[in-house]
Amino acid sequence: MGQTIINTSCPRDCFSACDIKAYVEDGKIVKIEGGSKNRATNSKLCIKGLSYTDYVYSPQRIGYPMIREGKRGEGIFKRISWETAIDEISKRLKLVKDTVGPLGLLHFTSAGCMGLMSEYYKGFFNQFGSYSATKGSLCYSAGIEAVKLTYGSNIQNAPWDLEHAGLIIIWGKNPSSTNVQELKFINEAVNKGAKIITIDPINTLPSLNSNLHIPIKPGTDGVLALCIANLLIQKGSIDIDFIKEYTFGFDEFKEHVSHYTIEYASKICGLNEDLINEAVNLIANKKPMTLICGYGMQRYKNGGQNVRAISMIPALTGDIGIRGGGFKFANKRWRNLEWPYIPQNDIKTRRDFAEAQLGRAIEEYQNPNIKLLWIERANPLTMNPDTNGLKRALKKVEYIVAIDLFMTDTAKYADIILPAQSFFEYEDVFSSYWTPYLNCFQKVIEPVNESKNESEIYRLLGKKMGYNMNYLPLYNEETIDVCLKKCNINVSVKDLKKGPYLKENSDIAYKERIFDTPSKKIEFYCERMESIWGKSPLPDFKDCFKGTEENGKYPLRLLSTHARERIHSQFGEIRASKLSSDKPLLYINKEDARMRNIKDGDKIEIYNEKGKIFAFAKIDPYIIEGVVNIHGGLKEDTAANVNILTDQDISDIAFGAVFYDCFVEASWYQNK
Ligand code: SF4
């Protein structure tokens, strides 16, 4: 048999949703290349995408259902048949329901692959009864809610529109690690004369051709945003016609930000006043402006207000709804893409808790407590905060089911593991949160070993438990087409297989100046911040930083940014990832290292009251004093999982994780 090329797309929890060409020979993928049908990604894949053959055919992949034979966490399992697995799980489900009721089951899911199908489980568990579940997210829930409250929705100009910008502010995002395809559009804008401002405690200036770098103290972003707003208003560098016509609460906002003086911002944000003035001058003079907001600023207890404050700058300057302008956080143009086969019974009494507080929920929930934990598309023991707290909690759960492709730290705690499929082994539709496209991925190869798609697992269990199979339909192209219709999306899978689909007029967000807020305007003053979340209707930070100058025993702020070669804890199996996990690095400023007698390459212990991890010092000229950084997503056996040190607190709004509110000390490691 010769070689065939099959077009598909990458549905990982990543900005890009790349178009992919999979080369298949004798039923196996032999090569992966970027496809050219997606204008945003344009044939360019990242190192992870190029490594998919390593990933799909990794010898570490779980091939069969398995039950635990060793202690929790030891990773000793025995292969069983699917029949035995389904039998065993259905007995456990019935036992929980009969003894403590459906609330004794906790369903936990996070961000594995994206797609319509990721909600298939609701057709099963809503028949099981009012089970326990999660809300919020480890990733961007605080920011999404902040932008929605301010603008009424989360949409943004198409990636290729960036080339028309005169000024690009990249606030807390490093596309060279997390969104490589965006660099092309940034460079095109620069070649046409655009200026770049980067605002980040880690200096991304070299990779982004930045003209001005603002090395801000982590978590103080909202203060800087309000100070910039204040200075723009004072200078008269705002679009007063736009403000009058399309915004709400400007007078209150103007009075409020007048207290955020340059002296105050300079002190709180650790910045030279000249830098702030320089940024304001660029904003006042270079048009149009696009402000790209990364996801780090919401990972603090004041995260929602941080993002709200930042999002208001383009509204002040009238850069919304125009070519080359806008505020970019997430593109949720296809928010109506939802799994429609969901029975509605019992869900009103469902018990839910913040995803970031899984450990606490297991420890604290009574009547009933959590008897059975079901985990799919997630690896909380690596990715949730407070790993040790979560481990203690997991040991108390009677039964854990995990569905995964790999033996993650979490899977090692399961009682039964079911082998999942990679996205090359089934089909689905999805949208990315960066581009305006609707995409599909299709079945490229037959399932590897005995892996099954989640829908098949739920169908097998549904039959066994006598559930209504109308809510658990056979998952194939026909069903997806029906789903698309039910979601009012007028395109078929057949069309999507030819290439990603773009709605007309989706290049410029808010072109019609329609804002889905109660005032029908962009809300500087947002009453729902108070009525929904009990927070100030104007972004306020005056109480956030009192007494934080001295962090006592743990003076270093620990960040855990994303590594280029991983998405969260995924892709640990590819070669590039193995290299970095063999020698995890702690990025530390020269002065912080000197004060601790740490030299480049030294083995370092990083600790706080929650625990201790180890890494090798990388003296980094691009990170500010008082801040250290280790890439997140490293497994337990690397001894460098940052979440040993993080806490289960949540953000001001929308139940987000606050990974960056984490303080540590670091010292040279003496192997005693
Ligand atoms: S992980 Fe992201 S950048 Fe890499 S191939 Fe997939 S969608 Fe593209």
Side-chain angles (χ1 to χ4, degrees), residues 72 111 272 651:
R72 286 222 156 122
N272 183 310
S651 53

Side-chain angles (χ1 to χ4, degrees), residues 112 198 260 409 569:
T198 47
Y260 287 80
D409 288 344
S569 62

Side-chain angles (χ1 to χ4, degrees), residues 446-600:
E446 288 304 313
V448 171
N449 296 319
E450 289 187 11
S451 60
K452 284 193 194 298
N453 178 276
E454 281 84 346
S455 65
E456 283 180 81
I457 297 171
Y458 287 119
R459 280 177 63 78
L460 288 170
L461 274 171
K463 271 189 197 137
K464 187 93 192 166
M465 298 188 68
Y467 286 175
N468 183 345
M469 297 304 284
N470 290 333
Y471 295 112
L472 300 164
L474 194 62
Y475 195 79
N476 56 21
E477 193 173 316
E478 217 172 285
T479 304
I480 305 174
D481 275 339
V482 174
C483 291
L484 287 170
K485 282 212 178 75
K486 287 187 180 204
C487 298
N488 297 319
I489 297 173
N490 197 18
V491 65
S492 70
V493 177
K494 203 169 161 198
D495 298 329
L496 289 170
K497 281 184 177 174
K498 291 182 203 146
Y501 170 72
L502 203 56
K503 252 191 217 163
E504 266 174 45
N505 297 325
S506 51
D507 274 16
I508 309 296
Y510 307 112
K511 199 172 176 182
E512 317 299 335
R513 310 288 205 276
I514 294 171
F515 303 101
D516 192 14
T517 58
S519 63
K520 303 292 171 215
K521 296 181 174 191
I522 301 168
E523 298 202 344
F524 290 120
Y525 186 93
C526 176
E527 276 160 7
R528 287 179 304 160
M529 275 298 283
E530 195 156 37
S531 62
I532 301 174
W533 301 107
K535 303 295 172 201
S536 165
L538 291 162
D540 189 16
F541 304 95
K542 287 283 182 184
D543 291 331
C544 293
F545 305 104
K546 283 181 187 153
T548 57
E549 287 82 5
E550 276 305 314
N551 287 311
K553 276 163 58 181
Y554 306 114
L556 298 170
R557 166 93 69 168
L558 175 65
L559 303 182
S560 42
T561 59
H562 294 314
R564 191 169 296 167
E565 64 279 2
R566 278 191 304 280
I567 295 180
H568 313 308
S569 62
Q570 300 165 65
F571 292 97
E573 304 69 29
I574 66 171
R575 252 162 292 170
S577 205
K578 280 185 191 142
L579 291 177
S580 67
S581 54
D582 281 351
K583 198 171 180 193
L585 298 176
L586 173 81
Y587 296 88
I588 184 167
N589 177 278
K590 195 173 165 188
E591 188 54 23
D592 287 324
R594 189 193 61 74
M595 281 163 58
R596 292 165 177 80
N597 202 19
I598 291 172
K599 297 189 185 54
D600 203 58

